[in-house]
Amino acid sequence: MNNIDKQLTLLLHQAKSSLDQGDKLAASALFEAVLTTNPDNAVALLGMGSIAFQSGNYEEASHIYLQATKVRVSKKRLPDIYFYLATSLHLLGHYSKAISYFIKALLLDPRHIAAHVNLGMSYCEKEQYIEAIHIFKKLISLAPLHTDAHANLGHALFKLGKLKASIAAVEKALFIDPHHALANKNVGPLYQSLGRFSEAETSFKKAILQNPADAESYRHLVQTRKMTRDDASLVAQISALTTSTTLAQGLKSDSFFALGKCLDDLAQYDEAFESIKQANRLERGDSTYDRQQHENNIDTQIAHFTKEFFSSRLNKLDTLASESAPILIVGMPRSGTTLIAQVLSSHPQIKSAGEVLFWDLQVQALAPNAVLKLSPDSLSELANQYIAGLRAICPKSSRILDKMPSNFMHLGLIHLCLPMARIVHCQRNPLDTCLSIFFSKFSGSHPYSYDLSDLTFYYQQYEKLMAHWRTVLGTCMIEVKYEEMVGNLETETRKLLQFCNVEWDEKCLDFSRNEQAVFTASNWQVRQPLYQSSVGRWENYRAHLGALLQLTNQTPEVKG
């Protein structure tokens, strides 16, 4: 060993010693000294990567670990390098890249437990729940008592609507460890979706006891019931989280959404709005809503999906009678779609498949304007795939409803594929609708929802498109006003059932007892007897609504 090698060995020894003692600054300086002489020193690179990772500098950590994969390291150490590289990318939100490196780690070490866990979580972040389930089940075969594996499996199953299997998986995790924070956190939404709010509240409180900084559990907790002045200590805990300097941006927004919900319940409207405004600012981050692209998309649909276009291209499905046609509930989010779904699915012949992503995914997969050029065979294939997917979710139901609100964007394609489908358009006062959207944290992409001006524009475009569908879709679409539904439930329900071609059933009036799972933010509201307190809620926030006030008594302009 020459003098330079001896010096590097000594520096590395001193750096490791400093790191073991928690002196990251000294360790970093020593590792840097080694890399100045030997830029490809694997030990120094891994040391620097570890310091960056532990300090939360995931961007820097990912660059260092990527460099470490390109130098000579032992085969035993390489899986961990890929693992930490992938984990850094996951924490930065680069889930596709993270997945590729987790897979590389597992190819080198198929029994790398942490890589299995984080790979499954990356799949969940990309909403690839089938792949996530496969990974978590594989992990359970390697480590049957791994609580994170069971808890995360339950989460992925829940996202696919497989409620019984989901509860079984999470309860398995809780059997292994009753105080497991993730399992208690994951079982809470399951109980919420079934209307078991007391159990959900208990689960979220257990999760918070294990992790007092879990702002997401606080956000779910305050949705289990209406907050009162007796919850002052809970509100104080949430308020303290909003001032935390260590919470990640997503969790910080959770804390503000939770606080806003509490303050709204307590009728502290000015403070509630300010909290929700901060939550949306954090949610928006650096993302942008492309108004021009959205308007171009809608104008293209209006220009091409004309009565003449439909009459020349309409795809006739001989095997689909109106008595078995799917029911699609569409409209803006928070416009009453969950209420309508609960009323209809209380009928013995009708079951809800929840919010089905099928049409969103099909349109995303197609090139711009490709929908207009699909052949009759392609349209029939899409229709058959959609019906098969619905029947897989609700195999024993003769009528199935899909309550994905955003399907209003795809009614041209849907009508081409399924001309006999029943379309229920939910309408609600635009100010109440948009205010409720602004107060909600959504899963998926809703870039228009973070800013009142963008939200106003989006609503105006929605109104323009629906005015067009109203003129071209004819009798296959019915429109239901939320305010009329809550004001005269039986009359409106009779109209709906007649439109859907099913017989009247009294059970539809007792929708709050419907045991079918509800996966949306309205799961608490639709478990209550009908109430009208949400009608005109916007008046409490009139002073703060700004651009939204343009939506009062507006008349949408339809081009073409």
Side-chain angles (χ1 to χ4, degrees):
M1 182 182 293
N2 59 37
N3 287 335
I4 293 178
D5 289 338
K6 288 180 180 179
Q7 186 179 5
L8 292 178
T9 300
L10 178 60
L11 287 172
L12 288 172
H13 178 75
Q14 292 172 339
K16 288 179 182 179
S17 178
S18 296
L19 196 55
D20 290 342
Q21 294 171 24
D23 191 346
K24 295 178 184 177
L25 193 61
S28 179
L30 291 164
F31 284 132
E32 286 279 13
V34 172
L35 291 171
T36 300
T37 303
N38 183 1
D40 291 337
N41 187 287
V43 176
L45 284 171
L46 295 180
M48 291 296 290
S50 177
I51 291 170
F53 187 89
Q54 292 174 28
S55 302
N57 298 326
Y58 302 121
E59 188 78 48
E60 181 183 350
S62 67
H63 291 309
I64 295 170
Y65 284 123
L66 182 60
Q67 186 180 349
T69 65
K70 299 174 182 177
V71 303
R72 286 189 63 184
V73 294
S74 68
K75 288 185 178 180
K76 185 178 180 180
R77 185 171 280 174
L78 192 55
D80 276 343
I81 296 174
Y82 280 127
F83 168 76
Y84 282 111
L85 169 58
T87 302
S88 299
L89 292 166
H90 174 97
L91 291 167
L92 289 166
H94 304 322
Y95 303 117
S96 295
K97 289 181 180 178
I99 286 169
S100 67
Y101 287 113
F102 281 131
I103 290 172
K104 285 186 177 183
L106 288 169
L107 287 173
L108 292 168
D109 180 5
R111 301 187 67 85
H112 197 300
I113 301 299
H116 276 101
V117 173
N118 288 5
L119 173 58
M121 291 174 68
S122 290
Y123 278 131
C124 284
E125 292 289 352
K126 285 182 61 63
E127 299 186 4
Q128 294 178 235
Y129 298 113
I130 293 173
E131 292 86 346
I133 288 168
H134 171 74
I135 293 299
F136 292 133
K137 285 184 175 179
K138 187 173 181 180
L139 174 55
I140 289 168
S141 71
L142 294 171
L145 298 181
H146 197 289
T147 47
D148 279 3
H150 290 286
N152 281 309
L153 174 61
H155 172 71
L157 289 165
F158 169 63
K159 288 297 187 178
L160 286 181
K162 299 182 182 296
L163 209 57
K164 288 183 179 179
S166 175
I167 289 177
V170 179
E171 289 183 343
K172 176 68 172 178
L174 289 170
F175 177 78
I176 299 168
D177 179 5
H179 302 293
H180 191 267
L182 181 62
N184 278 297
K185 179 176 178 175
N186 283 357
V187 80
L190 302 181
Y191 290 145
Q192 274 182 302
S193 69
L194 292 170
R196 294 159 60 178
F197 298 110
S198 178
E199 291 167 275
E201 182 176 357
T202 299
S203 296
F204 291 130
K205 284 181 176 178
K206 285 182 179 179
I208 289 166
L209 279 175
Q210 298 299 312
N211 179 9
D214 185 0
E216 185 179 10
S217 285
Y218 276 108
R219 179 171 62 84
H220 287 305
L221 171 62
V222 301
Q223 297 292 340
T224 60
R225 59 179 172 83
K226 189 165 184 172
M227 298 295 110
T228 69
R229 299 203 179 278
D230 292 336
D231 295 301
S233 61
L234 173 62
V235 176
Q237 291 169 35
I238 297 170
S239 182
L241 277 182
T242 66
T243 62
S244 169
T245 57
T246 58
L247 279 185
Q249 187 164 297
L251 288 175
K252 196 71 170 289
S253 73
D254 280 323
S255 68
F256 277 108
F257 275 118
L259 182 60
K261 161 63 164 62
C262 294
L263 295 171
D264 181 70
D265 286 348
L266 296 170
Q268 298 178 29
Y269 300 123
D270 292 343
E271 296 89 343
F273 193 86
E274 183 58 33
S275 183
I276 295 298
K277 186 177 177 181
Q278 291 296 328
N280 279 287
R281 180 184 61 79
L282 289 164
E283 277 295 289
R284 183 174 190 172
D286 296 328
S287 67
T288 57
Y289 165 52
D290 191 333
R291 293 189 184 190
Q292 191 60 58
Q293 183 183 51
H294 186 70
E295 184 172 22
N296 290 345
N297 181 2
I298 284 178
D299 287 344
T300 297
Q301 294 198 60
I302 290 172
H304 287 91
F305 284 119
T306 62
K307 287 183 178 179
E308 294 74 23
F309 179 84
F310 282 126
S311 62
S312 65
R313 296 286 309 280
L314 208 54
N315 180 33
K316 302 295 184 183
L317 293 177
D318 297 332
T319 59
L320 188 66
S322 61
E323 292 81 4
S324 59
I327 303 163
L328 291 96
I329 300 175
V330 304
M332 286 287 290
R334 315 297 288 153
S335 63
T337 56
T338 302
L339 171 62
I340 302 301
Q342 281 296 94
V343 170
L344 288 177
S345 64
S346 296
H347 194 286
Q349 295 178 22
I350 302 174
K351 286 288 177 276
S352 173
E355 297 185 349
V356 181
L357 286 169
F358 182 87
W359 299 108
D360 276 335
L361 295 175
Q362 297 308 315
V363 171
Q364 289 173 20
L366 293 167
N369 301 328
V371 169
L372 305 170
K373 302 171 185 177
L374 290 174
S375 67
D377 286 345
S378 296
L379 294 171
S380 290
E381 178 61 24
L382 282 177
N384 291 334
Q385 288 177 17
Y386 179 62
I387 297 296
L390 294 183
R391 288 177 178 158
I393 299 171
C394 304
K396 297 180 181 178
S397 179
S398 58
R399 298 299 298 278
I400 304 172
L401 66 84
D402 172 358
K403 69 157 299 285
M404 175 58 78
S406 62
N407 278 336
F408 79 83
M409 286 292 298
H410 314 310
L411 291 182
L413 173 60
I414 291 168
H415 189 56
L416 281 176
C417 293
L418 298 161
M420 298 302 291
R422 303 284 84 188
I423 299 165
V424 180
H425 173 213
C426 294
Q427 296 175 294
R428 183 185 178 193
N429 179 291
L431 297 177
D432 282 335
T433 299
C434 292
L435 180 69
S436 188
I437 289 171
F438 198 61
F439 267 69
S440 300
K441 179 166 180 171
F442 295 99
S443 59
S445 177
H446 294 265
Y448 61 87
S449 68
Y450 310 132
D451 175 83
L452 292 180
S453 180
D454 284 344
L455 186 50
T456 301
F457 178 83
Y458 185 89
Y459 191 93
Q460 290 168 335
Q461 294 301 308
Y462 146 78
E463 280 278 76
K464 181 170 68 174
L465 184 58
M466 289 312 305
H468 175 72
W469 295 139
R470 199 173 289 126
T471 64
V472 299
L473 296 183
T475 58
C476 75
M477 184 172 81
I478 190 173
E479 297 184 280
V480 182
K481 287 183 167 34
Y482 173 82
E483 293 79 8
E484 292 178 9
M485 195 75 184
V486 299
N488 198 342
L489 180 64
E490 181 172 343
T491 299
E492 296 304 310
T493 301
R494 286 185 180 276
K495 290 179 186 176
L496 273 172
L497 295 179
Q498 184 178 9
F499 171 73
C500 295
N501 200 20
V502 294
E503 297 294 324
W504 167 253
D505 196 292
E506 293 281 345
K507 293 185 182 69
C508 293
L509 301 182
D510 203 15
F511 65 89
S512 64
R513 295 179 179 269
N514 188 337
E515 294 183 356
Q516 187 157 341
V518 179
F519 297 101
T520 69
S522 303
N523 55 34
W524 183 82
Q525 290 90 335
V526 297
R527 301 292 186 188
Q528 315 308 312
L530 205 61
Y531 60 92
Q532 298 192 38
S533 59
S534 60
V535 175
R537 177 186 173 216
W538 69 272
E539 290 280 8
N540 298 321
Y541 294 95
R542 177 189 285 271
H544 302 284
L545 296 184
L548 284 182
L549 294 173
Q550 299 174 36
L551 301 178
T552 307
N553 300 320
Q554 68 172 26
T555 302
E557 175 189 353
V558 181
K559 295 181 180 179

